Structure formats: structure tokens, C-alpha cells
Amino acid sequence: MEPVSKVWASQLLPYVNNVLLKLLDSNNGNSNNGTVTRKIISISAALFLFYITYDKVMRPPKQLRHITHGNPIKTLMAALRQLSADEITRSIGYPLSSQTENGLYTRFDATGWTVIINDPAIAKEYLFKSTTFVKSPLSDDFAGTLITRFIVGPNILFLSGQHWLDQRKIANPAFRRSMPVALFGRLTEKLFNVIDTTGDTSDVYDLMERWTLDALGNAGFGFDFDAISSKQNKWVKKYNDIINATQNPIYGLFPILERRFLNWIPSRKKSHQDMDEFHDMIQCLIDKKRKLIQEQKESGISVMGDPERDLLTMMIEGGQEEGQGLTDAELLSNVYVFLFAGHDTTASAISFAICFLAMYPEIQQRAREEAIKILGDEPKNVAPTVEQSQKMVYTEQIIKETLRMYAPVDYLVPRCAVKDTELGGVFIPKGTQVTVSIYQLHHSPRVWNDNPDKFNPDRFASNTNTSSIENYDWIPFSTGARKCIGMNFSLSEQRLFLPMLLRKYVWRLPKDTIHSPERIVTKQNLGVMSPKNLNVIFERRY
């Protein structure tokens, strides 16, 4: 049998070598000297990375070896191949969790060895121990990297303790206000105009990304990306380029490349320049809003009850009376998190719902009949009110079942044990990272014993539903104190958009689709799972 080090090197190093060659290619000319230089740098870097990472990636630390663990080669290969969350879970997570009664296992990822939970009782125990398991920032190895600059920072997603409590207190009123359904309705009509002028098929995820970006930009911080009408305009393109750059797996696995060799990688340097420009644009918005709020205050104008105020304005105002307002750095960091977490995730959720309804025309028609019953069948666009949305029980079941089948975020943000503890009777030493696999929990036959891989909205019918957020079986937005603050915003978007779409169109998948009821082909983007190449044929009803 070959030594494990030799196997590891023979399998992983070619991937590292090829990726590094691509990264460095644009920095060199076509000369022979340039080619030789690239190969020398690439091979040297690969061997160096192998040397510094071998011991920590090949096996878990001693204190975690009592927990079932997987082969890190498979996880690293999956990351480099950019496999989606469901593919990784099925090929790695399921086999590991089946080896123990409680399903706990540990695996290596970009942030180190992490214990994975997929049992609702243990998930509840874990999430309730909020003072034992706390959010921990990425290591200093990631300082200054693009992913840290964009999403990891002093924001409500990654902070813990009093700092998090202070921010949550300020942000809560902004997300508990009445949702801007009139805005959502206007944007939906705008999107319909785009669908009507598109060819035979429409790229659904592309459309939904544009719709949710405009919804969050306008409602979130009063900025119109105008993505629906012009998906290639400056700020839409810059934002998408940043998102695409952050998901490059090589920089997640080896952040030293970005921190030490950025000037050698022109494409990555360009991404940081894009981030600088985006940062300046958001900072300009903050400055203008602070100035306007101050001017209104000095003029005695009160806008505190204005329902059209955006989230950023409300967060700037929050805590000012007590002298506990957010700093610009905190506001910037939260804008990035709200923008990404509220944009891609909702786009993903609606796209999956559209895909399922295309696969199951009888379910689509049943939902359409409900929308028509409540909104009427007059040939014009009608945006449901909040009260009307609450009456659409079957649509709500579709939304919940879609989020069970494909929760946009597969894993909760890992938390770190600040002291020795137990989960499910298993010893968890201090310093251990722990998370919950939402995908595996939502597809567990032990929980969803009625064919968990089949789309069935009737699971959530009031007379048959035996699983809900209360018993931690269904947690697409997490739950407890750290439940996603944007849950109601996202659900409001979905509750408005789907009935309007159902009244306007009947849709189906083209014959050459890559998707089927047995398997929706997915892709991964910064931890968000979405359908890949989802083309749909829309036929107008009016």
C-alpha cells in the first residue's frame, strides 16, 4: 500500500498546480521563459502548500478522533471541483452519518475540522447553547482577503456576545416593519416586461437574481441597481464580478496566495479594485443618508413613521438617541451581508419553486386556482396585499416544501465551543467548530420518513404536518436567538411574487432540460445552492 502522503500528493497536487497556472497565466507573456517561470512558481507553491498543510488536513486533531471522520482528500477535491452542497452531502455526508446512531461526524473544510450535526434533537441542543457555541471569526490567515472584505466582518451574521446583541437590537425594528409589497409588485411587473420580450426560453435564476437585487437595493439602502432592465450596467456587473471572485475555491483553501502574492495575480488584484469601488459607492450612500437625517433633525422634520424608509436609514437612526449608533464600518459590513444573504438566497428559493412547479403541472395549477380565487382572474397584474397572501395556504405549503428540499444555505455558519461540552452524548472539546447540515437534516429518512427526496407540499398541510421549526426539523433560516433576521423579508418577497407569476403565466421545462423530479442539477456560490442552467418556457395567460 502506498504511503498516505504519496496518495495525497498524487491526487491533490495536480489540481493545485493547474489552478495556480491559470491564476498566474495572465501575469506572463507567451515567451518560453515565461512558461518555464510559471511552471516553476506553480510547482514550488504546490509543494510548499502540501508541506504546510499535510498534518492538519490529513487527520483530525487528537481530541476529535473519537468522532467519525471522513477522508479529507474527497472534501478537498469536491471543493476544487466546485461540487454543489447536495452533491457533497450525498457523496460524503450520508456515508459518514450512517456510521453512527446519532449521525455526528467531522470533516475537513476551508476553515478546518468541523463537527457536522444532522439530527434535530442534537441541532436543538446545539442552537440553545448559544453561550457555549459562539460565532467565531475566520482566522487571521484570511485577513485582507476578498471574502473577508465582502462578507466577514463586524456584522450581525458573524459577531457574538454583547456586540452582536447591540447590533441585533438596532437592526430588529428595520426588519419588523411592514414589508414594501408595493415596491415588490412594481418590480414584478417590470420583470414580466422582460420575460415577455425574451426568446422561447428564459433563464430563471438570472431573472430572479436581477429581481431580488433590485428589491433589496431599493428596500435595503435606497439604491436602484436597475438590474431588471440592464443586467450589464456598471454596478450590477461589478457586484456580480465580486461575487464570482469570492467563490474561487483555491483562495478559500489557500488564503496565503491572496495575502502574499496578490500583485502576481492580476485577475485577483482586479477583484480587489472592484471591491474598493463598490465600497466607495456604499460609503457615499451612508454619508448622504447621515447628512439627510441630520438636516431633517435640525429642521424638526420627523420621518420616523415613514413606511418607505429603507433599512439602511433605519439602521443609521437606530441607537442614536442612546448614543449607541452603528459605526460606518459596521454599517458597511452589514450592508454587504444583507445584500448577499438577502439577494442570492431568495433568488435561489424562488427559482427552485418555479422549477418544481414546472415539473409538477398539477401542483402549479392548484396553486394558480388559489391565486385566482383570492385575486380574481381579470387580465391584469394584481399584487397581493399582506392580508391576501395570508389566505394563500397552498402557496405557503409550496414555499415551505421548496425550502425543505433546497434550503438556499446548506450549512449554518459554524460556531466554536468555548468550553468542553457534550452533544448527543458525544464529548466536544473546547475550540471545536460545529455546524448543522440543513440539507441533510431536511432530507433525513429518520425525520421525513415519507420519501424525503420527493417534492410534496402536502407535508405542510395543517392537518398532516408533524414537522416544523418548533421541533427543529425545518430550519432553512436557522432558529432561536440567531434566526435569520431577514426571514420575513424573504418570505414576503416569495409570497408576493409566486401568486403574481401564477396568474400571469403557465410554464414548463423545455425537452432538453438537465433537470428532473429525481434530481435538480445545482451549483454553489459562496455557500448558496441554486439550480444550474434553469431554462423555462413561459406562456402568457393575458
Side-chain angles (χ1 to χ4, degrees):
M1 180 178 293
E2 289 186 289
V4 69
S5 58
K6 185 176 180 180
V7 175
W8 189 85
S10 66
Q11 294 187 43
L12 181 60
L13 291 185
Y15 282 91
V16 178
N17 186 56
N18 290 336
V19 174
L20 288 175
L21 279 173
K22 290 179 181 179
L23 291 173
L24 294 169
D25 186 62
S26 60
N27 196 41
N28 296 281
N30 295 321
S31 66
N32 291 332
N33 288 339
T35 301
V36 172
T37 301
R38 290 200 310 275
K39 289 185 177 180
I40 291 173
I41 292 174
S42 177
I43 294 170
S44 299
L47 291 173
F48 173 70
L49 291 172
F50 167 73
Y51 172 76
I52 64 174
T53 60
Y54 168 75
D55 188 59
K56 74 174 183 178
V57 304
M58 283 312 301
R59 54 181 181 172
K62 291 181 180 179
Q63 64 269 26
L64 290 182
R65 291 177 192 168
H66 62 288
I67 301 175
T68 298
H69 61 274
N71 184 343
I73 295 175
K74 291 183 178 180
T75 306
L76 291 169
M77 293 296 188
L80 290 170
R81 291 165 58 197
Q82 294 184 279
L83 295 183
S84 61
D86 58 333
E87 292 174 312
I88 293 174
T89 299
R90 290 178 180 279
S91 61
I92 298 175
Y94 283 173
L96 288 174
S97 61
S98 65
Q99 296 179 28
T100 61
E101 185 176 345
N102 56 31
L104 282 179
Y105 64 92
T106 183
R107 75 176 196 194
F108 180 82
D109 57 27
T111 59
W113 286 93
T114 304
V115 173
I116 311 296
I117 298 170
N118 50 70
D119 178 86
I122 300 177
K124 181 176 182 179
E125 182 182 1
Y126 163 73
L127 292 170
F128 262 109
K129 292 182 175 181
S130 58
T131 58
T132 300
F133 295 98
V134 302
K135 296 285 183 74
S136 56
L138 287 178
S139 72
D140 292 340
D141 292 341
F142 289 86
T145 61
L146 192 66
I147 183 66
T148 298
R149 294 185 63 194
F150 180 61
I151 199 170
V152 182
N155 58 58
I156 204 165
L157 181 62
F158 287 95
L159 290 173
S160 294
Q162 190 60 46
H163 199 174
W164 170 78
L165 284 170
D166 292 341
Q167 284 203 14
R168 184 84 184 203
K169 181 180 178 182
I170 291 171
N172 273 339
F175 285 90
R176 288 178 178 171
R177 66 169 186 168
S178 58
M179 293 295 115
V181 291
L183 168 66
F184 298 159
R186 292 193 299 271
L187 293 176
T188 301
E189 292 192 50
K190 193 174 180 180
L191 187 73
F192 288 170
N193 292 332
V194 173
I195 294 175
D196 290 342
T197 57
T198 305
D200 294 336
T201 62
S202 298
D203 183 337
V204 166
Y205 187 64
D206 173 67
L207 291 174
M208 294 320 308
E209 278 195 308
R210 292 155 64 184
W211 186 84
T212 55
L213 186 60
D214 280 353
L216 195 56
N218 282 280
F221 45 96
F223 181 80
D224 188 5
F225 283 95
D226 195 26
I228 295 174
S229 299
S230 177
K231 68 176 182 178
Q232 289 300 321
N233 71 55
K234 174 182 178 181
W235 292 115
V236 174
K237 188 175 186 307
K238 202 167 290 293
Y239 173 79
N240 287 330
D241 286 347
I242 293 170
I243 291 292
N244 291 333
T246 55
Q247 68 175 332
N248 190 323
I250 196 67
Y251 298 107
L253 291 169
F254 307 112
I256 192 174
L257 292 173
E258 191 171 356
R259 296 183 62 220
R260 299 288 182 87
F261 307 107
L262 184 62
N263 288 333
W264 294 12
I265 313 173
S267 60
R268 199 63 175 181
K269 190 173 182 179
K270 172 63 166 56
S271 298
H272 278 267
Q273 292 170 346
D274 288 340
M275 189 69 221
D276 290 338
E277 290 187 48
F278 199 80
H279 174 98
D280 291 343
M281 183 270 285
I282 301 296
Q283 182 63 58
C284 184
L285 285 176
I286 292 173
D287 293 340
K288 288 180 179 179
K289 290 184 183 299
R290 284 197 187 278
K291 182 179 179 181
L292 178 61
I293 291 170
Q294 184 61 31
E295 290 174 350
Q296 291 172 335
K297 184 177 180 180
E298 292 174 354
S299 302
I301 300 175
S302 176
V303 293
M304 295 297 287
D306 183 1
E308 294 297 318
R309 285 183 304 157
D310 56 73
L311 300 174
L312 177 58
T313 297
M314 296 182 72
M315 290 188 68
I316 293 174
E317 294 170 338
Q320 284 189 341
E321 297 298 323
E322 298 82 14
Q324 298 177 348
L326 299 180
T327 66
D328 282 3
E330 292 169 332
L331 287 167
L332 278 163
S333 188
N334 278 292
V335 165
Y336 298 147
V337 165
F338 295 153
L339 185 60
F340 175 73
H343 157 234
D344 274 12
T345 53
T346 302
S348 174
I350 298 177
S351 297
F352 277 120
I354 292 172
C355 185
F356 278 124
L357 293 180
M359 291 176 178
Y360 298 95
E362 69 282 3
I363 295 178
Q364 181 184 150
Q365 181 58 25
R366 181 177 166 185
R368 179 175 296 108
E369 290 170 358
E370 178 183 70
I372 290 173
K373 179 180 179 181
I374 295 171
L375 301 177
D377 202 16
E378 190 176 352
K380 66 177 184 179
N381 297 322
V382 180
T385 63
V386 173
E387 293 73 22
Q388 288 172 325
S389 294
Q390 292 172 346
K391 297 178 182 178
M392 298 186 194
V393 177
Y394 192 60
T395 300
E396 185 76 6
Q397 292 174 209
I398 290 171
I399 291 171
K400 287 184 176 180
E401 176 67 347
T402 299
L403 290 171
R404 183 193 70 82
M405 290 287 289
Y406 288 99
V409 179
D410 179 53
Y411 290 93
L412 300 182
V413 175
R415 304 182 190 180
C416 185
V418 297
K419 61 182 180 181
D420 291 347
T421 186
E422 285 189 356
L423 284 174
V426 176
F427 175 66
I428 305 294
K430 178 182 177 180
T432 302
Q433 284 194 141
V434 184
T435 187
V436 177
S437 170
I438 299 176
Y439 183 90
Q440 201 164 343
L441 178 64
H442 283 185
H443 288 255
S444 171
R446 291 179 292 180
V447 178
W448 307 90
N449 51 20
D450 182 17
N451 195 354
D453 290 328
K454 179 177 174 59
F455 181 75
N456 178 16
D458 284 331
R459 294 181 201 277
F460 291 92
S462 58
N463 61 334
T464 61
N465 180 27
T466 59
S467 182
S468 67
I469 195 170
E470 282 76 20
N471 55 22
Y472 291 71
D473 294 345
W474 184 85
I475 54 171
F477 299 97
S478 187
T479 189
R482 303 292 306 226
K483 180 172 64 177
C484 175
I485 196 171
M487 180 181 75
N488 289 333
F489 190 94
S490 175
L491 290 175
S492 294
E493 291 177 293
Q494 296 176 58
R495 290 164 180 159
L496 178 136
F497 184 85
L498 287 174
M500 290 188 70
L501 190 73
L502 286 160
R503 289 185 73 256
K504 179 75 172 182
Y505 302 100
V506 175
W507 63 89
R508 68 183 188 277
L509 298 176
K511 292 182 179 179
D512 61 351
T513 183
I514 61 175
H515 306 289
S516 70
E518 289 72 34
R519 181 171 183 258
I520 296 179
V521 181
T522 61
K523 60 182 179 180
Q524 198 81 358
N525 186 359
L526 259 186
V528 175
M529 187 163 48
S530 58
K532 183 178 182 180
N533 297 336
L534 178 56
N535 296 308
V536 169
I537 299 171
F538 288 101
E539 296 179 0
R540 293 180 58 172
R541 296 185 65 250
Y542 57 85

PDB file of all heavy atoms in Angstrom, residues 201-225:
ATOM      1  N   THR A 201     -37.179  30.626 -24.386  1.00  0.00           N
ATOM      2  CA  THR A 201     -36.965  30.216 -23.000  1.00  0.00           C
ATOM      3  C   THR A 201     -36.332  31.353 -22.210  1.00  0.00           C
ATOM      4  O   THR A 201     -35.687  32.234 -22.767  1.00  0.00           O
ATOM      5  CB  THR A 201     -36.034  28.987 -22.914  1.00  0.00           C
ATOM      6  OG1 THR A 201     -34.754  29.323 -23.458  1.00  0.00           O
ATOM      7  CG2 THR A 201     -36.627  27.805 -23.667  1.00  0.00           C
ATOM      8  N   SER A 202     -36.539  31.310 -20.904  1.00  0.00           N
ATOM      9  CA  SER A 202     -35.979  32.323 -20.009  1.00  0.00           C
ATOM     10  C   SER A 202     -35.072  31.652 -18.992  1.00  0.00           C
ATOM     11  O   SER A 202     -35.394  30.581 -18.454  1.00  0.00           O
ATOM     12  CB  SER A 202     -37.103  33.062 -19.270  1.00  0.00           C
ATOM     13  OG  SER A 202     -37.948  33.743 -20.163  1.00  0.00           O
ATOM     14  N   ASP A 203     -33.933  32.283 -18.716  1.00  0.00           N
ATOM     15  CA  ASP A 203     -33.010  31.817 -17.681  1.00  0.00           C
ATOM     16  C   ASP A 203     -33.557  32.287 -16.336  1.00  0.00           C
ATOM     17  O   ASP A 203     -33.394  33.452 -15.949  1.00  0.00           O
ATOM     18  CB  ASP A 203     -31.615  32.391 -17.933  1.00  0.00           C
ATOM     19  CG  ASP A 203     -30.574  31.892 -16.935  1.00  0.00           C
ATOM     20  OD1 ASP A 203     -30.952  31.468 -15.831  1.00  0.00           O
ATOM     21  OD2 ASP A 203     -29.373  31.948 -17.255  1.00  0.00           O
ATOM     22  N   VAL A 204     -34.212  31.400 -15.628  1.00  0.00           N
ATOM     23  CA  VAL A 204     -34.961  31.784 -14.438  1.00  0.00           C
ATOM     24  C   VAL A 204     -34.065  32.334 -13.336  1.00  0.00           C
ATOM     25  O   VAL A 204     -34.374  33.363 -12.730  1.00  0.00           O
ATOM     26  CB  VAL A 204     -35.792  30.591 -13.913  1.00  0.00           C
ATOM     27  CG1 VAL A 204     -36.307  30.861 -12.498  1.00  0.00           C
ATOM     28  CG2 VAL A 204     -36.963  30.329 -14.832  1.00  0.00           C
ATOM     29  N   TYR A 205     -32.961  31.647 -13.058  1.00  0.00           N
ATOM     30  CA  TYR A 205     -32.125  32.117 -11.957  1.00  0.00           C
ATOM     31  C   TYR A 205     -31.527  33.486 -12.264  1.00  0.00           C
ATOM     32  O   TYR A 205     -31.416  34.335 -11.380  1.00  0.00           O
ATOM     33  CB  TYR A 205     -31.018  31.112 -11.643  1.00  0.00           C
ATOM     34  CG  TYR A 205     -30.240  31.477 -10.396  1.00  0.00           C
ATOM     35  CD1 TYR A 205     -30.871  31.509  -9.153  1.00  0.00           C
ATOM     36  CD2 TYR A 205     -28.892  31.809 -10.456  1.00  0.00           C
ATOM     37  CE1 TYR A 205     -30.183  31.853  -8.003  1.00  0.00           C
ATOM     38  CE2 TYR A 205     -28.190  32.144  -9.305  1.00  0.00           C
ATOM     39  CZ  TYR A 205     -28.841  32.173  -8.092  1.00  0.00           C
ATOM     40  OH  TYR A 205     -28.156  32.522  -6.951  1.00  0.00           O
ATOM     41  N   ASP A 206     -31.174  33.719 -13.506  1.00  0.00           N
ATOM     42  CA  ASP A 206     -30.685  35.035 -13.898  1.00  0.00           C
ATOM     43  C   ASP A 206     -31.749  36.099 -13.653  1.00  0.00           C
ATOM     44  O   ASP A 206     -31.469  37.173 -13.088  1.00  0.00           O
ATOM     45  CB  ASP A 206     -30.280  35.023 -15.376  1.00  0.00           C
ATOM     46  CG  ASP A 206     -29.933  36.414 -15.891  1.00  0.00           C
ATOM     47  OD1 ASP A 206     -28.918  36.975 -15.439  1.00  0.00           O
ATOM     48  OD2 ASP A 206     -30.684  36.941 -16.733  1.00  0.00           O
ATOM     49  N   LEU A 207     -32.987  35.809 -14.044  1.00  0.00           N
ATOM     50  CA  LEU A 207     -34.082  36.760 -13.830  1.00  0.00           C
ATOM     51  C   LEU A 207     -34.311  37.020 -12.349  1.00  0.00           C
ATOM     52  O   LEU A 207     -34.514  38.162 -11.920  1.00  0.00           O
ATOM     53  CB  LEU A 207     -35.368  36.231 -14.466  1.00  0.00           C
ATOM     54  CG  LEU A 207     -35.404  36.176 -15.996  1.00  0.00           C
ATOM     55  CD1 LEU A 207     -36.685  35.488 -16.457  1.00  0.00           C
ATOM     56  CD2 LEU A 207     -35.308  37.574 -16.597  1.00  0.00           C
ATOM     57  N   MET A 208     -34.281  35.957 -11.544  1.00  0.00           N
ATOM     58  CA  MET A 208     -34.564  36.119 -10.129  1.00  0.00           C
ATOM     59  C   MET A 208     -33.426  36.835  -9.397  1.00  0.00           C
ATOM     60  O   MET A 208     -33.661  37.582  -8.446  1.00  0.00           O
ATOM     61  CB  MET A 208     -34.850  34.763  -9.473  1.00  0.00           C
ATOM     62  CG  MET A 208     -36.121  34.099  -9.972  1.00  0.00           C
ATOM     63  SD  MET A 208     -37.520  35.242 -10.219  1.00  0.00           S
ATOM     64  CE  MET A 208     -37.614  36.093  -8.652  1.00  0.00           C
ATOM     65  N   GLU A 209     -32.192  36.614  -9.837  1.00  0.00           N
ATOM     66  CA  GLU A 209     -31.083  37.373  -9.259  1.00  0.00           C
ATOM     67  C   GLU A 209     -31.263  38.864  -9.516  1.00  0.00           C
ATOM     68  O   GLU A 209     -31.015  39.693  -8.635  1.00  0.00           O
ATOM     69  CB  GLU A 209     -29.749  36.903  -9.856  1.00  0.00           C
ATOM     70  CG  GLU A 209     -29.178  35.658  -9.226  1.00  0.00           C
ATOM     71  CD  GLU A 209     -27.727  35.477  -9.605  1.00  0.00           C
ATOM     72  OE1 GLU A 209     -27.427  35.506 -10.806  1.00  0.00           O
ATOM     73  OE2 GLU A 209     -26.891  35.322  -8.697  1.00  0.00           O
ATOM     74  N   ARG A 210     -31.695  39.196 -10.709  1.00  0.00           N
ATOM     75  CA  ARG A 210     -31.892  40.603 -11.061  1.00  0.00           C
ATOM     76  C   ARG A 210     -33.055  41.203 -10.271  1.00  0.00           C
ATOM     77  O   ARG A 210     -32.979  42.336  -9.781  1.00  0.00           O
ATOM     78  CB  ARG A 210     -32.111  40.725 -12.572  1.00  0.00           C
ATOM     79  CG  ARG A 210     -30.857  40.376 -13.364  1.00  0.00           C
ATOM     80  CD  ARG A 210     -31.146  39.900 -14.781  1.00  0.00           C
ATOM     81  NE  ARG A 210     -31.757  40.928 -15.608  1.00  0.00           N
ATOM     82  CZ  ARG A 210     -32.175  40.718 -16.856  1.00  0.00           C
ATOM     83  NH1 ARG A 210     -32.042  39.505 -17.397  1.00  0.00           N
ATOM     84  NH2 ARG A 210     -32.713  41.690 -17.555  1.00  0.00           N
ATOM     85  N   TRP A 211     -34.137  40.429 -10.148  1.00  0.00           N
ATOM     86  CA  TRP A 211     -35.309  40.923  -9.411  1.00  0.00           C
ATOM     87  C   TRP A 211     -34.986  41.132  -7.933  1.00  0.00           C
ATOM     88  O   TRP A 211     -35.316  42.171  -7.354  1.00  0.00           O
ATOM     89  CB  TRP A 211     -36.461  39.919  -9.573  1.00  0.00           C
ATOM     90  CG  TRP A 211     -37.764  40.374  -8.981  1.00  0.00           C
ATOM     91  CD1 TRP A 211     -38.709  41.172  -9.559  1.00  0.00           C
ATOM     92  CD2 TRP A 211     -38.277  40.053  -7.683  1.00  0.00           C
ATOM     93  NE1 TRP A 211     -39.778  41.364  -8.712  1.00  0.00           N
ATOM     94  CE2 TRP A 211     -39.543  40.687  -7.547  1.00  0.00           C
ATOM     95  CE3 TRP A 211     -37.812  39.292  -6.617  1.00  0.00           C
ATOM     96  CZ2 TRP A 211     -40.325  40.575  -6.403  1.00  0.00           C
ATOM     97  CZ3 TRP A 211     -38.586  39.180  -5.472  1.00  0.00           C
ATOM     98  CH2 TRP A 211     -39.822  39.815  -5.372  1.00  0.00           C
ATOM     99  N   THR A 212     -34.349  40.153  -7.309  1.00  0.00           N
ATOM    100  CA  THR A 212     -34.056  40.279  -5.879  1.00  0.00           C
ATOM    101  C   THR A 212     -32.981  41.330  -5.609  1.00  0.00           C
ATOM    102  O   THR A 212     -32.981  41.971  -4.554  1.00  0.00           O
ATOM    103  CB  THR A 212     -33.625  38.927  -5.277  1.00  0.00           C
ATOM    104  OG1 THR A 212     -32.512  38.396  -6.024  1.00  0.00           O
ATOM    105  CG2 THR A 212     -34.772  37.928  -5.291  1.00  0.00           C
ATOM    106  N   LEU A 213     -32.056  41.522  -6.552  1.00  0.00           N
ATOM    107  CA  LEU A 213     -31.044  42.564  -6.377  1.00  0.00           C
ATOM    108  C   LEU A 213     -31.700  43.939  -6.375  1.00  0.00           C
ATOM    109  O   LEU A 213     -31.372  44.794  -5.539  1.00  0.00           O
ATOM    110  CB  LEU A 213     -29.993  42.478  -7.479  1.00  0.00           C
ATOM    111  CG  LEU A 213     -28.785  43.413  -7.336  1.00  0.00           C
ATOM    112  CD1 LEU A 213     -28.028  43.135  -6.042  1.00  0.00           C
ATOM    113  CD2 LEU A 213     -27.850  43.273  -8.540  1.00  0.00           C
ATOM    114  N   ASP A 214     -32.635  44.149  -7.286  1.00  0.00           N
ATOM    115  CA  ASP A 214     -33.347  45.436  -7.311  1.00  0.00           C
ATOM    116  C   ASP A 214     -34.241  45.602  -6.088  1.00  0.00           C
ATOM    117  O   ASP A 214     -34.348  46.701  -5.523  1.00  0.00           O
ATOM    118  CB  ASP A 214     -34.187  45.546  -8.584  1.00  0.00           C
ATOM    119  CG  ASP A 214     -33.353  45.947  -9.797  1.00  0.00           C
ATOM    120  OD1 ASP A 214     -32.163  46.267  -9.613  1.00  0.00           O
ATOM    121  OD2 ASP A 214     -33.887  45.938 -10.928  1.00  0.00           O
ATOM    122  N   ALA A 215     -34.889  44.519  -5.656  1.00  0.00           N
ATOM    123  CA  ALA A 215     -35.756  44.592  -4.478  1.00  0.00           C
ATOM    124  C   ALA A 215     -34.958  44.970  -3.242  1.00  0.00           C
ATOM    125  O   ALA A 215     -35.352  45.864  -2.476  1.00  0.00           O
ATOM    126  CB  ALA A 215     -36.476  43.266  -4.260  1.00  0.00           C
ATOM    127  N   LEU A 216     -33.829  44.307  -3.050  1.00  0.00           N
ATOM    128  CA  LEU A 216     -33.035  44.583  -1.855  1.00  0.00           C
ATOM    129  C   LEU A 216     -32.290  45.903  -1.962  1.00  0.00           C
ATOM    130  O   LEU A 216     -32.131  46.617  -0.974  1.00  0.00           O
ATOM    131  CB  LEU A 216     -32.051  43.443  -1.606  1.00  0.00           C
ATOM    132  CG  LEU A 216     -31.411  43.418  -0.224  1.00  0.00           C
ATOM    133  CD1 LEU A 216     -32.474  43.376   0.866  1.00  0.00           C
ATOM    134  CD2 LEU A 216     -30.483  42.235  -0.067  1.00  0.00           C
ATOM    135  N   GLY A 217     -31.821  46.238  -3.155  1.00  0.00           N
ATOM    136  CA  GLY A 217     -31.136  47.516  -3.316  1.00  0.00           C
ATOM    137  C   GLY A 217     -32.041  48.687  -2.986  1.00  0.00           C
ATOM    138  O   GLY A 217     -31.647  49.611  -2.258  1.00  0.00           O
ATOM    139  N   ASN A 218     -33.266  48.644  -3.481  1.00  0.00           N
ATOM    140  CA  ASN A 218     -34.216  49.732  -3.222  1.00  0.00           C
ATOM    141  C   ASN A 218     -34.716  49.737  -1.791  1.00  0.00           C
ATOM    142  O   ASN A 218     -34.707  50.767  -1.115  1.00  0.00           O
ATOM    143  CB  ASN A 218     -35.401  49.636  -4.190  1.00  0.00           C
ATOM    144  CG  ASN A 218     -35.081  50.150  -5.571  1.00  0.00           C
ATOM    145  OD1 ASN A 218     -35.086  51.356  -5.813  1.00  0.00           O
ATOM    146  ND2 ASN A 218     -34.788  49.246  -6.491  1.00  0.00           N
ATOM    147  N   ALA A 219     -35.169  48.563  -1.321  1.00  0.00           N
ATOM    148  CA  ALA A 219     -35.731  48.498   0.031  1.00  0.00           C
ATOM    149  C   ALA A 219     -34.654  48.487   1.094  1.00  0.00           C
ATOM    150  O   ALA A 219     -34.891  48.911   2.223  1.00  0.00           O
ATOM    151  CB  ALA A 219     -36.611  47.251   0.176  1.00  0.00           C
ATOM    152  N   GLY A 220     -33.470  47.994   0.740  1.00  0.00           N
ATOM    153  CA  GLY A 220     -32.404  47.852   1.716  1.00  0.00           C
ATOM    154  C   GLY A 220     -31.652  49.132   1.989  1.00  0.00           C
ATOM    155  O   GLY A 220     -31.463  49.516   3.138  1.00  0.00           O
ATOM    156  N   PHE A 221     -31.222  49.822   0.927  1.00  0.00           N
ATOM    157  CA  PHE A 221     -30.474  51.049   1.181  1.00  0.00           C
ATOM    158  C   PHE A 221     -30.723  52.137   0.146  1.00  0.00           C
ATOM    159  O   PHE A 221     -29.891  53.007  -0.099  1.00  0.00           O
ATOM    160  CB  PHE A 221     -28.968  50.766   1.315  1.00  0.00           C
ATOM    161  CG  PHE A 221     -28.389  49.839   0.268  1.00  0.00           C
ATOM    162  CD1 PHE A 221     -27.770  50.339  -0.855  1.00  0.00           C
ATOM    163  CD2 PHE A 221     -28.443  48.463   0.440  1.00  0.00           C
ATOM    164  CE1 PHE A 221     -27.219  49.489  -1.798  1.00  0.00           C
ATOM    165  CE2 PHE A 221     -27.901  47.605  -0.504  1.00  0.00           C
ATOM    166  CZ  PHE A 221     -27.284  48.120  -1.625  1.00  0.00           C
ATOM    167  N   GLY A 222     -31.895  52.090  -0.477  1.00  0.00           N
ATOM    168  CA  GLY A 222     -32.313  53.188  -1.334  1.00  0.00           C
ATOM    169  C   GLY A 222     -31.471  53.361  -2.579  1.00  0.00           C
ATOM    170  O   GLY A 222     -31.280  54.481  -3.059  1.00  0.00           O
ATOM    171  N   PHE A 223     -30.974  52.257  -3.128  1.00  0.00           N
ATOM    172  CA  PHE A 223     -30.146  52.321  -4.334  1.00  0.00           C
ATOM    173  C   PHE A 223     -30.751  51.406  -5.389  1.00  0.00           C
ATOM    174  O   PHE A 223     -31.002  50.230  -5.127  1.00  0.00           O
ATOM    175  CB  PHE A 223     -28.711  51.896  -4.033  1.00  0.00           C
ATOM    176  CG  PHE A 223     -27.796  51.962  -5.228  1.00  0.00           C
ATOM    177  CD1 PHE A 223     -27.255  53.170  -5.631  1.00  0.00           C
ATOM    178  CD2 PHE A 223     -27.480  50.811  -5.946  1.00  0.00           C
ATOM    179  CE1 PHE A 223     -26.411  53.238  -6.737  1.00  0.00           C
ATOM    180  CE2 PHE A 223     -26.644  50.871  -7.054  1.00  0.00           C
ATOM    181  CZ  PHE A 223     -26.109  52.091  -7.447  1.00  0.00           C
ATOM    182  N   ASP A 224     -30.978  51.952  -6.568  1.00  0.00           N
ATOM    183  CA  ASP A 224     -31.570  51.171  -7.647  1.00  0.00           C
ATOM    184  C   ASP A 224     -30.472  50.648  -8.569  1.00  0.00           C
ATOM    185  O   ASP A 224     -29.876  51.399  -9.339  1.00  0.00           O
ATOM    186  CB  ASP A 224     -32.558  52.027  -8.442  1.00  0.00           C
ATOM    187  CG  ASP A 224     -33.343  51.203  -9.458  1.00  0.00           C
ATOM    188  OD1 ASP A 224     -33.176  49.959  -9.468  1.00  0.00           O
ATOM    189  OD2 ASP A 224     -34.115  51.793 -10.234  1.00  0.00           O
ATOM    190  N   PHE A 225     -30.190  49.350  -8.480  1.00  0.00           N
ATOM    191  CA  PHE A 225     -29.211  48.749  -9.379  1.00  0.00           C
ATOM    192  C   PHE A 225     -29.715  48.728 -10.818  1.00  0.00           C
ATOM    193  O   PHE A 225     -28.933  48.661 -11.753  1.00  0.00           O
ATOM    194  CB  PHE A 225     -28.912  47.310  -8.944  1.00  0.00           C
ATOM    195  CG  PHE A 225     -28.003  47.182  -7.766  1.00  0.00           C
ATOM    196  CD1 PHE A 225     -28.511  47.045  -6.482  1.00  0.00           C
ATOM    197  CD2 PHE A 225     -26.632  47.194  -7.931  1.00  0.00           C
ATOM    198  CE1 PHE A 225     -27.666  46.913  -5.392  1.00  0.00           C
ATOM    199  CE2 PHE A 225     -25.769  47.060  -6.848  1.00  0.00           C
ATOM    200  CZ  PHE A 225     -26.300  46.926  -5.580  1.00  0.00           C
TER     201      PHE A 225
END
